[in-house]
Every structure is written in structure tokens, then in C-alpha cells.
Amino acid sequence: MKREVLRLEQVFVPPWLSGLSMDIYEGELDALIAIDYLGMDYMLDLIQRNLPVHYGRVFYGGIRVNDQEMTACRPNKIAVLKKKSSLIDTLTVAENLFVIRSGYRKSVINYRMLCQQTKSILGPLGLAVEPGALVNSLTPCEKLILELAKAWVSGVRLVVLREISNFVTTDELMRIISTVRLLSGRKMGFLYICNHHQEVFRFCDRCFLMGQGRIIKCLEKEQMTDTIIQHYCDVFENWAHNKERRKLYENSTADSKEGFFCNVEGLSFSMKKGESVILLDSDSRIINYLFDLLQSGKKFPLSMIRIDGKLWNTGSPSCALIPLRPVSAMLFPQLSVLDNLCFMLDHKVSGFWFSSKKKDAIAQDLYPVFGDVIYARSLYGLDEKLLYDIVYQRILLQHPSFICAMQPLASADQLMRLHLLSYFDRFRQKGITVCILGFSLSDSLEVADRLLVIKDRKIDREYQRSDFLSYPGIAGSRPE
């Protein structure tokens, strides 16, 4: 008989949660897919720290730990693993595994015994690292496995894996899933949070669909099919199969001119002007190096980059870079919405900042997009969709000839993915060369002409748009 790890019964916490009900059992790896992210952060805080609820009950290990009459915020032994690691980089693997955890009360540390225990725990999990190695020398995949081991040592019964495919490769993801399966046999439950069903259908036991602060459907293993999921993702499906939109990519806008050329540390590829290409890093993480090279502007003897046939120059308005978290990396919250939008226009329009008429003209042009928000004096209090609009509208105003985006759909729910992809459609219409870098595909194939798969820091496979259906890896929607 399955033993329950966590159960939420009709939990109401306006405006975030609206009758949320969910149950997770020992030995299971369940998935949680967000149609929208409303209430996601509050739900995770709730199950970890038992925050107050307006109505409903929360059970952990079969014991009621929270309801509308309880006010004590007592923590549950639940671990949330995400990109920002809970490990301390300047300490060793053994110290992070045993010393830096609740319940460790020894005042004298026996490092010899500590190293032996570390090897006995990490060995069966397939993590061959030295107990004395510093954590900052580990890869993101190794850090995740170490965090899983630490959760088991600490007596954690439920582990939440939150969007880990945004920073680990496909091969590393399957290695982590193997570790999860091993630990699930040790009376642990797992919840895998992601934004696309095809990422989890192949290895999860059940799948929860979350929208508007509640679970709208729980899919059992036999129900995890594209046909069934389409009933709950019809907005995206209708957009993806729009005839006018499909013509935009069937009739290629790329011409014979060179739009982008890259030769970095043995990685060499070229793009035609107006072409959209995805660079999928399957194991070596060279895309981080490439993006940092474009972002930092440092010149390396073993690298060469050209845009429109000309050698690339740092800060050139012909190139636009979209980092992993553009809302936090590209915007200035203390400045007005209009100043953020016009940040790059001084390269295009001479004396722009000295002409109030020119700024007013921009405000009038973008009023249909932002409404009265266009005149806001700061970005504080604006929702995420508006902040992304500011980022992408700024790029449209800049009108670069080349755009490089690092995982633009990472951490985006279904509705946000649709919204962001519509901007890539506009880049397409304007004939801008677009290069998308990523460890996972999500739905980015919808806006691509080619897919280049990197292995051992070189191009291993190439897929044209007509061949996307033959790609064997984990992907999102694949244009026919």
C-alpha cells in the first residue's frame, strides 16, 4: 500500500490559491506543469513552512500540519532544488553533506570518518567526487545530485525539483532522474515542476496540471498523451497551427548574405541573414562561454565572430543580447517605463535625449501596447508580463540586425511562452537574424529554421525545419 507524503485539501489563499488539492506518495515521481504560474511560489512556501491559509488543510506524513485554525508556521522536511543551490561553495562536499544541516550537533569533526561516510552515500548514487573537493568545483548536475543525497541524509521525505532543465543538459537530466528513481525506493517522494508536458511524460508517474491557483487535472500514466494534453492547452495549439503564422516560416525570409558567423574554441557555424537557428548544448556548456564572450566584449585569440560580414564590436547597436533573466538583467526599475524603452535609441536617433517631442512620439506609438503604464515613473509594482514587454519592445525599437537569446522560454508558463514567441514572430517579419541558445528546447522549435545540436563542443547534428519531427531528444511542440 502506498504511503502518503503530502496532501493538500481544498486550500484557499486569495488571491494565489483557489481550492488547491494535491496528493504525493512515497516512491513516486510526479510532475507539476504550470499553465500559468499564479500561486506557484506561495504553494511552495506553504508546503515548506505551513503559511496561514484561509480555508483547507495540509497533511505531511499523514499528520495534519496546517489548516485555517492553525497559525504556527512550523517547517516541514521538504527540500526545493532549483538553480540557486542551497550548498555553500566554499566548503567541501563532505562538510555540505553532513556538517551544514539541521540536527548536526558534534563540536569536534572527525574528517576521516566524514570522508568514509560521504563515499558510502555518494558511491551508490553514481557521484564520483572527492569528499574534500570544494563545491564550487562541481558541475550543476553534480551539485543537484549532492543536494539529493543531502536531502536523504537529513530525513527529507519530499523533494521538489523546480525547472532544473533550464540549467542542466538533456543527458544530465536523465542522470538526475536515475538518481531520483534510486532514492524513491528509500521512502522519498518527488515533485518535478516544469513548463512543458513532453519533458516529463517519458519518466514521471503522474502529472498535475496547475492553473489559476488550483489543480485542474491529474493525469495518470496511461493518460499522458499529446491528444489528452491538447484539451488543456488549446490556446497554444491554436496559435501554433495558425495558417498565416505557418506561412511565415514556410516561406523563408533568409537570403544568401551572411547574417552571423561564429568560430569559438572549435565551435564553428554560420547563419544566413534573416534566419532563426537554435543552438542546443547537449553536454559541454559552450553556449555559456559563447554568450559571455558576446556580453563581456573580451577579445580572445581563438575566437572570431562576424555580424553581417563585419567583425563584431562590443556595444554595437546591430547586436542585441537577451540574457537568461532579462527582466532583472536588462531593466532599471528606478527609471521610468519610457526611459527603459528608449535606452538604446541614442544610437539610432541623434540627440534623442534632448528632444521631448521625440520621446512623446515614442510614447504615442507604444500607447496601444502599454496604455497609461507608458507614463509610469518607475517599474516598481509592474507585473512580469509588462516587464517582458518593455524588454522586447526596447529591442524592436533598437532594430538590431542580429539577436542572441539565452533560453528565452526558461521559467515561462504556457501563456507567457506564447506571448514571448509572438515577439520572435515579429523579429522574423523584420528579417532579423536570431540565434537561440539553450540546454532544452521547450517550444522554441516553433520559431526556428534550423536546429544545431552540440556535442563535445562541436556541431554533432543538424536538423532543418522539415526534419524537426525526427529529433529524438526531449522537445516541446515540433512544427510539421
Side-chain angles (χ1 to χ4, degrees):
M1 182 178 178
K2 295 190 297 185
R3 296 183 61 182
E4 178 185 277
V5 178
L6 178 73
R7 182 168 87 248
L8 291 87
E9 291 184 350
Q10 292 295 313
V11 176
F12 282 84
V13 186
W16 300 287
L17 303 178
S18 178
L20 179 68
S21 296
M22 181 172 59
D23 53 353
I24 301 173
Y25 298 94
E26 288 180 357
E28 284 192 355
L29 171 56
D30 297 332
L32 180 62
I33 298 176
I35 294 177
D36 60 62
Y37 275 139
L38 178 64
M40 182 68 72
D41 291 330
Y42 195 92
M43 184 202 72
L44 294 178
D45 286 340
L46 169 66
I47 63 175
Q48 284 184 284
R49 300 189 285 117
N50 290 319
L51 299 181
V53 299
H54 286 221
Y55 183 76
R57 299 185 298 176
V58 180
F59 293 82
Y60 178 74
I63 300 172
R64 191 177 70 182
V65 293
N66 197 0
D67 62 22
Q68 65 274 18
E69 297 178 357
M70 300 175 65
T71 56
C73 296
R74 296 172 299 188
N76 300 320
K77 285 193 174 183
I78 295 175
V80 178
L81 276 53
K82 50 189 177 181
K83 184 174 184 180
K84 186 177 181 180
S85 174
S86 62
L87 303 173
I88 299 177
D89 285 345
T90 54
L91 296 182
T92 66
V93 170
E95 288 169 340
N96 272 278
L97 188 57
F98 289 104
V99 180
I100 310 301
R101 65 181 177 88
S102 60
Y104 190 87
R105 293 184 173 84
K106 293 185 178 181
S107 56
V108 179
I109 301 174
N110 186 334
Y111 276 97
R112 183 177 180 181
M113 183 180 69
L114 213 62
C115 290
Q116 290 176 348
Q117 291 177 335
T118 300
K119 290 181 179 179
S120 66
I121 289 174
L122 298 184
L125 300 182
L127 185 56
V129 297
E130 288 298 321
L134 293 179
V135 166
N136 60 12
S137 66
L138 305 183
T139 65
C141 175
E142 292 171 335
K143 287 183 179 180
L144 276 174
I145 295 177
L146 180 58
E147 285 191 277
L148 287 169
K150 182 178 178 180
W152 179 68
V153 170
S154 303
V156 170
R157 300 188 60 187
L158 175 62
V159 176
V160 179
L161 303 166
R162 184 168 189 181
E163 298 164 348
I164 61 173
S165 63
N166 290 340
F167 59 94
V168 299
T169 65
T170 301
D171 294 340
E172 290 172 336
L173 176 61
M174 300 317 296
R175 181 184 174 189
I176 292 168
I177 296 303
S178 298
T179 305
V180 166
R181 284 301 183 189
L182 182 62
L183 291 175
S184 64
R186 302 180 182 180
K187 298 182 179 181
M188 295 179 68
F190 294 87
L191 183 65
Y192 187 102
I193 298 177
C194 69
N195 61 11
H196 207 287
H197 65 280
Q198 289 186 354
E199 184 177 325
V200 296
F201 274 11
R202 63 172 62 185
F203 56 73
C204 282
D205 301 308
R206 291 186 301 160
C207 180
F208 298 100
L209 302 180
M210 183 175 178
Q212 296 297 312
R214 62 188 181 91
I215 301 298
I216 60 177
K217 182 66 176 177
C218 175
L219 301 177
E220 299 295 335
K221 190 67 177 179
E222 62 275 9
Q223 296 176 308
M224 294 184 194
T225 63
D226 291 343
T227 303
I228 292 179
I229 199 73
Q230 286 176 7
H231 293 294
Y232 304 94
C233 308
D234 56 339
V235 175
F236 188 91
E237 291 297 321
N238 293 337
W239 171 84
H241 293 92
N242 180 274
K243 291 183 179 180
E244 293 299 323
R245 191 188 164 276
R246 293 179 70 172
K247 288 180 181 179
L248 182 63
Y249 290 89
E250 289 171 359
N251 302 324
S252 176
T253 60
D255 57 32
S256 58
K257 295 181 181 179
E258 179 185 87
F260 181 73
F261 174 80
C262 171
N263 185 3
V264 176
E265 299 288 345
L267 173 65
S268 180
F269 68 100
S270 62
M271 300 171 56
K272 296 179 181 178
K273 188 170 180 62
E275 188 180 23
S276 298
V277 173
I278 298 174
L279 212 59
L280 182 66
D281 198 343
S282 62
D283 60 1
S284 63
R285 301 185 177 280
I286 195 173
I287 62 170
N288 284 334
Y289 177 83
L290 173 60
F291 194 82
D292 289 343
L293 176 62
L294 291 169
Q295 205 168 32
S296 65
K298 295 179 181 178
K299 294 183 178 180
F300 295 90
L302 298 179
S303 64
M304 182 173 67
I305 297 173
R306 293 196 303 263
I307 297 176
D308 292 342
K310 300 177 182 178
L311 285 177
W312 166 77
N313 292 317
T314 309
S316 171
S318 63
C319 174
L321 303 177
I322 306 177
L324 182 60
R325 305 285 182 183
V327 167
S328 57
M330 295 180 64
L331 300 182
F332 304 91
Q334 70 276 17
L335 298 182
S336 69
V337 170
L338 197 54
D339 286 344
N340 273 279
L341 285 166
C342 301
F343 187 71
M344 295 295 293
L345 283 186
D346 56 338
H347 294 282
K348 294 284 186 180
V349 183
S350 177
F352 177 81
W353 294 107
F354 298 100
S355 174
S356 59
K357 290 183 178 180
K358 293 176 181 178
K359 286 183 66 176
D360 290 341
I362 296 295
Q364 291 176 11
D365 288 342
L366 293 179
Y367 188 86
V369 177
F370 295 96
D372 292 334
V373 173
I374 192 73
Y375 299 109
R377 296 186 178 183
S378 72
L379 306 187
Y380 297 112
L382 299 186
D383 62 35
E384 187 178 49
K385 179 178 177 297
L386 282 171
L387 295 177
Y388 271 104
D389 281 332
I390 295 172
V391 169
Y392 281 85
Q393 288 291 342
R394 179 206 289 181
I395 294 173
L396 286 171
L397 286 173
Q398 179 184 340
H399 193 65
S401 59
F402 172 73
I403 294 175
C404 183
M406 173 64 83
Q407 299 193 121
L409 305 182
S411 302
D413 59 40
Q414 185 188 95
L415 298 179
M416 182 59 75
R417 291 202 312 273
L418 179 61
H419 188 61
L420 296 181
L421 289 173
S422 66
Y423 276 108
F424 283 85
D425 286 347
R426 296 184 66 179
F427 298 154
R428 175 78 169 193
Q429 292 169 343
K430 291 180 176 292
I432 300 174
T433 308
V434 177
C435 182
I436 298 176
L437 311 178
F439 300 116
S440 60
L441 292 173
S442 191
D443 291 308
S444 54
L445 288 176
E446 285 289 345
V447 294
D449 295 301
R450 283 190 295 154
L451 168 64
L452 303 179
V453 181
I454 305 174
K455 189 172 184 179
D456 297 327
R457 304 174 75 87
K458 295 180 180 178
I459 303 298
D460 179 60
R461 286 168 289 165
E462 178 177 344
Y463 297 87
Q464 300 294 331
R465 188 175 180 86
S466 58
D467 302 325
F468 284 170
L469 286 172
S470 64
Y471 173 67
I474 299 173
S477 58
R478 309 183 191 193
E480 298 177 359

